[in-house]
Each structure stands twice: as structure tokens, then as C-alpha cells.
Amino acid sequence: MKISDACVPVAGATGALGGAFLAELVDRGARPALAGRGAGRLRRVARDCPGAPVVTCDAYAPDSRARTAHDSASEAADHSASEAAPSAWLRAVRREKRSTGVRALDICPGPLETGFAGRAVAGTAAPMPPGGDPRQVAGAVADALETDAGLLRTDPDGTPAVEGRAR
């Protein structure tokens, strides 16, 4: 994939990893489509991306993820990446949207220093090991998109590793 001038959806655009990925994409000349839970924070991020489509999305709600993929595709978006989309959902997107040119990259970066470790979705946050640098992962994600990879994960030492071509 040629990132320059490509429309790339960024789920979690208001978060630490999504924001780092967004900055990397903009630096490489992409046209981002922004998705995130907080409408107010999303509007603030969108000010720095004039003309970018904006979709409010809750990654914890399957119907919301499906709507985001549909809405992004209707804006000429032909590739997808997210900060932590479930692998099964991405396999379905790859299979169901293959003929339309949509590609999906499964990103499994391991612990990152995003501030999320201290914010539990419910209950008390579990102790986490020190995390890696979101900017390093964001660069690796953009590189993986350019090579049409199917999976980006991190090695035990935190180094990003790209595996396989998207199917």
C-alpha cells in the first residue's frame, strides 16, 4: 500500500497509540479517517486534520465497530488499522471486504506507555509491566501497511515485528 494520499481509518485517534499513529500517517502524507469514543476529544483532534471524516466509535461495542468500518468505507477508505481490534473481527473484515480493496492489519503491540494501564474498564486496573514507546509502534504500523502485512506484534523485548501478508 502506498500511504501517501491513502485514506486510512484510525481507531482510537484520541488515545496515545492512535494519536501517535495518526501523526505518523499525516507525516507520511495519508488522509486519515478518525474514529474514537469521545466526541469532544475527537472534534479537537479533527481540527488538525481538515477534511478528515470523523466517526464516533466504541471499540467495546461490536455494532459500533461494524458501523465504523461501513462509514469509513463510504468515505473511499481502502485500508484499516486500529489500536487493538479483535483478530476474529479483522479476519472477517479481510474476508468479507477483500473484493472492495479493503485491507485490515491486526495490531498486537503488547504493553505500551499510553496511560491506559492505570485506567481500568471496570474494577481496579491490574498491575502491568513497563510498556514500550507508542511512537515506535506507530512507525512500525505505517511500515506494515506499506508492505500489506496481516499482523504486527511485538517481540518479548518490545521490538515491533511484522508477520505475513494480508489475506
Side-chain angles (χ1 to χ4, degrees):
M1 164 185 182
K2 180 180 165 231
I3 288 182
S4 178
D5 212 29
C7 184
V8 182
V10 179
T14 61
L17 179 57
F21 181 52
L22 176 61
E24 184 73 28
L25 288 172
V26 169
D27 285 350
R28 294 184 187 210
R31 295 177 297 112
L34 311 176
R37 275 188 312 214
R41 289 175 51 199
L42 205 50
R43 280 192 298 276
R44 286 190 293 278
V45 169
R47 287 185 201 130
D48 294 331
C49 302
V54 176
V55 178
T56 302
C57 170
D58 183 350
Y60 294 108
D63 60 327
S64 183
R65 292 191 309 260
R67 182 179 41 79
T68 300
H70 178 269
D71 290 353
S72 294
S74 70
E75 296 289 341
D78 59 356
H79 289 77
S80 178
S82 72
E83 60 182 312
S87 294
W89 183 70
L90 286 174
R91 282 193 301 272
V93 168
R94 282 202 275 305
R95 183 178 60 250
E96 294 172 8
K97 299 295 182 180
R98 175 179 28 216
S99 65
T100 65
V102 169
R103 301 291 182 269
L105 174 63
D106 192 356
I107 305 166
C108 304
L112 296 173
E113 290 299 328
T114 64
F116 190 71
R119 297 187 314 265
V121 175
T124 304
M128 298 289 290
D133 182 356
R135 293 171 303 214
Q136 182 184 21
V137 172
V141 168
D143 291 343
L145 285 172
E146 289 182 323
T147 62
D148 202 21
L151 171 67
L152 181 126
R153 61 170 181 75
T154 51
D155 288 332
D157 68 356
T159 304
V162 175
E163 296 180 3
R165 294 186 54 81
R167 294 173 198 37

